[in-house]
Amino acid sequence: MLTLAGVLESEDLTRIREALAEAPWLDGRRTAGPAARKVKANTQADTDNPKIAALGRFVREALERSEVFAAYARPARWSTLMFNRYGPGETYGTHMDDALMGPDGGKLRTDLSFTLFLSEPEAYEGGELVVEGLEGERAVKLAAGSLVVYSTGALHRVEPVTSGERLACVGWIQSFIRRADEREVLFDLARVRAALPEGEARLLLDKASGNLLRLWGEP
Ligand code: NI
């Protein structure tokens, strides 16, 4: 799991929240699989709406500018980004996301999920994203404009919102590097590289990282 602060600036957040206030909102169960549908109670902005689709592209471009995100996720393919909203009493109970997403003939394998928080944490009570792992549960509630990315294979939930409104943007990534352990090695090497001055050591590290990408990467 990785958290990234300041993916969006406050003026972008204001613009997105204003656009979402006028968006057509649909029942979130429309995009959930049969099991998830039973525990999902939220609304989602209509991604067929051109303004909402443009907002999704804007968020994706912001993420693509993040070198840390690129080094951690190694994105090969992206799902459509979705905007969801939880009001009082709304929640998304424990579930797992679909392994394959998208239209027939254009499906992606979901390796990583991300949630970009669009509401300030003070604007709502509850609404933590809780991710279950072998080492226990992690509850995540970040500042507006901050993002968490985690393995899609994990069970997770959104705790009930008891007051206020929780807006977020969510999406999924198929990574060039399928295995999480291999992705971790490459991420560590990228962090070491960032600390090295230009020179022979960095060149050798680039060679090793590039050759690992060749070993592990799949287009
Ligand atoms: Ni989910």
Side-chain angles (χ1 to χ4, degrees):
M1 177 181 287
L2 176 80
T3 60
L4 267 180
V7 173
L8 294 179
E9 311 277 347
S10 62
E11 47 271 35
D12 296 329
L13 286 166
T14 304
R15 192 172 63 81
I16 290 173
R17 285 193 293 245
E18 282 169 3
L20 290 178
E22 290 166 11
W25 289 91
L26 304 172
D27 189 325
R29 283 174 294 193
R30 288 164 48 108
T31 57
R37 195 171 299 148
K38 295 192 182 115
V39 294
K40 187 174 187 182
N42 68 0
T43 51
Q44 285 169 190
D46 183 1
T47 47
D48 289 335
N49 180 291
K51 284 184 184 167
I52 300 306
L55 283 186
R57 287 194 298 273
F58 178 82
V59 171
R60 173 176 160 169
E61 283 162 15
L63 273 175
E64 285 175 328
R65 285 193 293 274
S66 166
E67 287 178 20
V68 178
F69 185 79
Y72 182 83
R74 309 275 170 179
R77 302 181 64 197
W78 297 66
S79 74
T80 300
L81 272 58
M82 301 200 292
F83 295 88
N84 57 35
R85 181 177 68 178
Y86 296 80
E90 294 188 317
T91 180
Y92 197 164
T94 304
H95 67 280
M96 199 190 68
D97 298 338
D98 289 341
L100 300 171
M101 282 188 193
D104 286 341
K107 289 200 185 298
L108 75 150
R109 185 189 66 236
T110 54
D111 296 319
L112 292 164
S113 311
F114 58 84
T115 296
L116 173 64
F117 290 79
L118 298 171
S119 302
E120 292 298 350
E122 305 79 43
Y124 58 99
E125 297 284 333
E128 293 83 0
L129 169 69
V130 180
V131 181
E132 297 182 14
L134 291 175
E135 286 150 26
E137 296 189 340
R138 264 181 88 171
V140 184
K141 184 170 179 175
L142 301 176
S146 295
L147 170 131
V148 60
V149 50
Y150 59 97
S151 289
T152 308
L155 288 173
H156 57 282
R157 64 181 184 270
V158 175
E159 296 283 35
V161 167
T162 54
S163 69
E165 180 182 84
R166 176 196 193 270
L167 291 171
C169 177
V170 299
W172 292 266
I173 277 173
Q174 178 173 322
S175 178
F176 279 116
I177 309 298
R178 183 176 195 151
R179 290 179 56 141
D181 53 358
E182 293 170 351
R183 240 182 280 126
E184 184 178 346
V185 170
L186 287 165
F187 184 54
D188 287 344
L189 294 178
R191 288 195 290 174
V192 170
R193 185 191 194 279
L196 281 179
E198 210 173 310
E200 199 177 345
R202 203 163 87 178
L203 196 60
L204 265 179
L205 186 61
D206 285 345
K207 178 187 160 206
S209 301
N211 284 331
L212 286 175
L213 265 177
R214 287 185 187 88
L215 273 177
W216 297 336
E218 39 187 86

